[in-house]
Amino acid sequence: MASKYSGAGAGRLTREDYKKQKDLEAARKAGTAPPEVDEDGNAINPHIPQFMSKAPWYMDTGKTGLQHQRKTNNGRREAPTSIDETGWYSSRGEKVGQAPKKYRKGACENCGAMSHGTRDCMERPRKKGARWTGKSMMADEVVQSVELSYDAKRDRWNGYDAADHRRLMEDWELVEEARRKRKADDLDREAEAAAMAGKSGTAAAAVDGSALAEDIEAQFASSDEEEDEEHQKQQQNDSAKSKSTVRNLRIREDTAKYLRNLDPDSAYYDPKTRSMRENPYAGKGAGGEGGSAQVAYAGDNFIRYAGEAQDVAKKEVFAWEANERGNSSAHFQANPTQTSLMYNEFKSKKDTLKDSQRRALLSAYGGEEHLQAPPRELLVQDERYVEYSRTGQVISGEVRPAISTRYKEDVYPMNHSSVFGSWWADGKWGYRCCKQTLRNAYCTASALAK
C-alpha cells in the first residue's frame, strides 16, 4: 500500500486501495492503529498535513519518512543545487561517436543525424541537404530520456543552471570596467588639453596622479548616484498607480462606516465584508427618506442605483438571456461594445413593436381620445375661487396677477399710443396710431387730428 508520506513517485491507487488508505489514516489519527514508522525507526505523527509530509519531486527518494524536512549536520538540506548534481540536461549539445560516412535511412535530410527529424534540425538550412550530397554529415546528438513526475513537469525552474546567472554578472562587470576605463581616458584627455591650452595655469601643473585619481572616483560616484536616482524615479513612476491604489484603500482620516450612526437599530454593518448596505442617516433628515441634504456616505446600495449602474445591470441580464436563447456572441465582459449595440438595437425594436401594437389596438377598437390627459389646471387643487363668464371674463373672485418681466410694459415713447410693429404696409412695419414706419419718429396723430 502506498504511504501518505511517500513522494511524487507513488503510483495511482485503485478505489479499494484508496479507501483502505483513508481508513488506515483515520484509525492512526484516532489512535486505534499504530503510527507509521520511517526508515530510522521514528514514529510519524499522523496529524501532519500532506503538504508538509509529502516530499518535493526533486528530493523524493521513494522511502517513507520526513527526511526532507530535516537538516544535515552541516546545516544544509540534502537537496541538489545545480544541474550537474541532478544529471538533468547535463549532456545537452554533446555528440555520440563520429559523423557517419553516408546517409542513413530515416535520418535528418539536412544534416544527416539520426537523433532528430528534418523539421527539428537546428543546423543552417543547406541548399542541398546531406541526403542528396552525402557531404558534411553531422554526428548524432545525445538524447537524454528524463522521467518527470507531475510536479517536475510543472516546475518553472526545471532545467535552469545557476551558472548562467554568474556568467551574466561577469559580462556586466566587464561592461562596467570598460565604461570606467573609457571615462578615465576622457578625463585624461581633458586634463592634457587644459594643460596645453594654458587654461589651468600653475594650478593645473601642480595636479598629481593622486588628485586625478580622486577626481575620477568622484566622477564615477556622481555618475553612479545619477543613475541610481534615475532608476529610483523610473521605479516610482512605474509603481505610482499600485502605490496609490494601496494607499487609497481607506484614508484613515475618514470616518469609518460603523461610527456614522451609533444607534444599534440603524443600518447593519457586516464586519466580515466591511459593508453597510443601508443608509446610516435614514430617518434623521440628513440624506434619508425625509431629508434633502446630501451626505458623504449613503450606504453601499446607493452606488448600485446611482449613475449607470442600473444600465450596466440591464445589459448584463440581457447578455444572460441572449446566451440562454442560443446567442453565444452576447457576453458583457468579453464583448462589451457589441453587447451594448445589441442591447440598444433590442430596445429600439421593442419600442417600435410596442408602438405598432398600440396603434393596431387603437385602430381596431378606438378610444384614442381617452388616452389624452386633461390639462394640469383641471387636476391640481386650488383654494382660490374665481367665476368666469361665457366669454372668459372674470365675474367674481380673485384674479391671478400677471407675471411681471424685466421689460417695461405699457410705456409708449415719442408720444405714441401704440407700439412699433402694430401696423404693416408695403412690406414695412410701423405705428398704428400715426402710420409711420420709422422707429424713432415722433407721433403726429394728434396734430393730424386737429
Side-chain angles (χ1 to χ4, degrees), residues 66-293:
L66 300 174
Q67 296 296 332
H68 60 280
Q69 294 287 353
R70 297 185 178 91
K71 294 184 179 181
T72 58
N73 297 329
N74 55 1
R76 298 182 61 183
R77 290 188 177 91
E78 297 177 357
T81 56
S82 65
I83 295 179
D84 297 334
E85 297 180 12
T86 58
W88 297 340
Y89 309 104
S90 58
S91 59
R92 184 186 302 174
E94 295 181 2
K95 303 294 182 180
V96 178
Q98 298 180 355
K101 301 293 183 179
K102 60 180 182 178
Y103 180 78
R104 295 164 293 178
K105 185 179 180 180
C108 176
E109 298 179 357
N110 186 42
C111 65
M114 290 288 294
S115 56
H116 61 269
T118 307
R119 296 179 57 182
D120 302 330
C121 184
M122 302 300 294
E123 295 290 334
R124 178 182 59 84
R126 305 178 185 180
K127 188 175 182 180
K128 288 185 178 182
R131 177 181 178 181
W132 295 275
T133 60
K135 299 178 181 179
S136 301
M137 294 286 184
M138 302 299 295
D140 300 340
E141 296 93 349
V142 176
V143 179
Q144 189 176 5
S145 178
V146 181
E147 296 295 335
L148 300 178
S149 61
Y150 180 86
D151 296 331
K153 291 177 182 178
R154 290 156 181 79
D155 188 4
R156 60 182 300 182
W157 296 103
N158 185 10
Y160 175 74
D161 190 1
D164 294 341
H165 184 69
R166 188 181 301 107
R167 288 191 293 268
L168 180 63
M169 295 301 297
E170 291 176 357
D171 294 342
W172 276 102
E173 290 177 357
L174 293 176
V175 172
E176 184 68 18
E177 186 66 25
R179 188 183 68 84
R180 290 176 177 272
K181 186 176 180 181
R182 186 181 63 181
K183 188 70 175 178
D185 295 340
D186 294 340
L187 292 175
D188 291 340
R189 286 194 295 269
E190 291 178 2
E192 292 177 359
M196 293 176 63
K199 293 181 180 180
S200 58
T202 57
V207 175
D208 53 355
S210 61
L212 183 60
E214 293 178 358
D215 190 9
I216 293 173
E217 292 295 335
Q219 291 287 341
F220 288 157
S222 61
S223 62
D224 293 340
E225 291 177 359
E226 291 176 358
E227 291 179 359
D228 294 341
E229 291 178 359
E230 292 179 358
H231 184 62
Q232 291 178 0
K233 289 181 180 179
Q234 185 176 3
Q235 288 182 347
Q236 291 176 359
N237 295 332
D238 293 340
S239 59
K241 294 183 179 180
S242 60
K243 287 183 179 179
S244 62
T245 304
V246 174
R247 186 170 55 251
N248 295 335
L249 286 176
R250 184 177 77 83
I251 302 176
R252 297 301 176 181
E253 298 175 358
D254 294 345
T255 306
K257 297 178 183 178
Y258 51 84
L259 295 179
R260 293 186 178 275
N261 191 351
L262 301 180
D263 188 3
D265 297 332
S266 62
Y268 174 72
Y269 174 75
D270 189 4
K272 185 175 181 180
T273 59
R274 299 180 182 179
S275 60
M276 181 180 287
R277 296 174 177 83
E278 299 178 359
N279 184 9
Y281 300 103
K284 289 194 172 184
E289 297 177 355
S292 59

